[in-house]
Amino acid sequence: MESEWTIVTVTHNSAGQLRERWQGRDFSGVRWVVVDNASRDDSVTVARALGADVIELPRNVGFARANNRGLGASTTEWVAFVNPDVEVVFDSLDGLARLARRHGALVAPQLTNADGSFQPNGRGFPFLVDKLSNRGIALPGARLSRYTPDTSPGPTYVAWSIGAAIGGLRSTFDALGGWDERYFLYYEDHDLGLRAWRAGHRVIVDPGARWIHDWQRETSRFVFAAWRREIASAVRFFTTYPEFLVPSRRGARRRHTNAGHLVGLVADSA
């Protein structure tokens, strides 16, 4: 492997996912740091047995803050934040590093379901009407094609990529101040992508790197704690970024990008 990576995984009662997606993996050239958010199961024991360096937190501090603990413990030029339900293809890390360096970008693999079908982990601007439309609530002005762009043709600029798997130079994450710890769970990945663009760092999804993701979003069903957290994060996000409350193609684009276009194929992706 040409590039050295630290992979940061935040766990919370994730022992089953660790066994399913990380068992028997060869971590040559990769340091795996697991930050455990006070699990009640044997996540810590399983992670250590699988080869991780484990940071045990005494309480659940949330996804963003735990990711930052892992970032602070990283010791390599490159760092990736990867959920426990994602199966990393280690051979693709060098290609992601080259793409990130070439474009000054945060990079994400194309996440897929177990059958190989694509998950829409690369997203366009998070206008509220588009987000609600993506949840099945049709509203005037919504356009899903701009919120879940087709990334299949090749490496693609996106506004943000879901936090299940995203990486880049550690120096880039440090320059951005890491993840915003005001978000306990949800919307921290929206914020990270937008802040990256505003700071001059693109966000790219590369379908040449395909990692399986067992997507199990808690808010796809009614779980009171999950919905409470999502609503709290949504309020914080749209208070911070009110330009996304109303569909617009100009103001938000000018504020959050340093390029003439945002969602589109990377021109020199070869």
Side-chain angles (χ1 to χ4, degrees), residues 81-93:
F81 300 91
V82 183
N83 279 8
D85 59 354
V86 173
E87 186 171 304
V88 178
V89 179
F90 293 103
D91 289 345
S92 65
L93 289 172

Side-chain angles (χ1 to χ4, degrees), residues 63 129 158 188 237:
F63 182 68
V129 293
V158 296
E188 67 286 304
F237 178 81

Side-chain angles (χ1 to χ4, degrees), residues 6-233:
T6 297
I7 293 178
V8 175
T9 299
V10 174
T11 54
H12 179 66
N13 301 328
S14 309
Q17 295 170 334
L18 294 176
R19 292 188 182 99
E20 176 70 19
R21 291 299 174 198
W22 299 83
Q23 186 85 40
R25 310 308 305 280
D26 180 6
F27 289 95
S28 300
V30 174
R31 182 182 179 221
W32 185 28
V33 175
V34 168
V35 183
D36 186 73
N37 259 332
S39 291
R40 296 183 300 276
D41 67 1
D42 57 344
S43 293
V44 168
T45 301
V46 171
R48 286 203 174 106
L50 294 177
D53 295 330
V54 180
I55 299 172
E56 294 184 68
L57 302 181
R59 61 185 178 88
N60 187 350
V61 300
F63 182 68
R65 184 171 294 181
N67 268 337
N68 283 342
R69 286 292 302 272
L71 177 63
S74 64
T75 55
T76 55
E77 182 180 21
W78 298 91
V79 61
F81 300 91
V82 183
N83 279 8
D85 59 354
V86 173
E87 186 171 304
V88 178
V89 179
F90 293 103
D91 289 345
S92 65
L93 289 172
D94 281 340
L96 289 171
R98 288 191 293 271
L99 190 66
R101 193 183 295 279
R102 185 180 306 126
H103 295 278
L106 300 184
V107 290
Q110 176 63 64
L111 297 181
T112 74
N113 299 305
D115 63 4
S117 58
F118 280 20
Q119 293 178 2
N121 58 304
R123 302 296 176 93
F125 286 119
F127 292 111
L128 181 59
V129 293
D130 294 335
K131 288 184 64 65
L132 292 175
S133 180
N134 191 50
R135 294 293 189 89
I137 304 173
L139 292 173
R143 198 174 72 196
L144 275 182
S145 61
R146 69 184 172 191
Y147 184 61
T148 55
D150 179 12
T151 56
S152 61
T156 304
Y157 293 134
V158 296
W160 60 280
S161 182
I162 68 172
I166 189 164
L169 286 165
R170 174 182 171 165
S171 59
T172 300
F173 286 105
D174 285 341
L176 292 172
W179 299 74
D180 189 335
E181 297 183 3
R182 295 177 301 168
Y183 297 93
F184 184 88
L185 185 64
Y186 306 123
Y187 285 84
E188 67 286 304
D189 43 12
H190 304 45
D191 170 79
L192 179 69
L194 295 175
R195 284 191 291 116
W197 276 98
R198 289 177 65 183
H201 302 285
R202 295 173 171 89
V203 183
I204 300 174
V205 170
D206 182 9
R210 302 186 185 187
W211 300 0
I212 295 174
H213 177 213
D214 299 324
W215 203 343
Q216 298 177 349
R217 189 180 181 93
E218 287 184 305
T219 51
S220 62
R221 61 190 191 280
F222 184 76
V223 178
F224 177 74
W227 274 105
R228 181 183 62 190
R229 288 169 178 164
E230 170 138 6
I231 291 169
S233 292

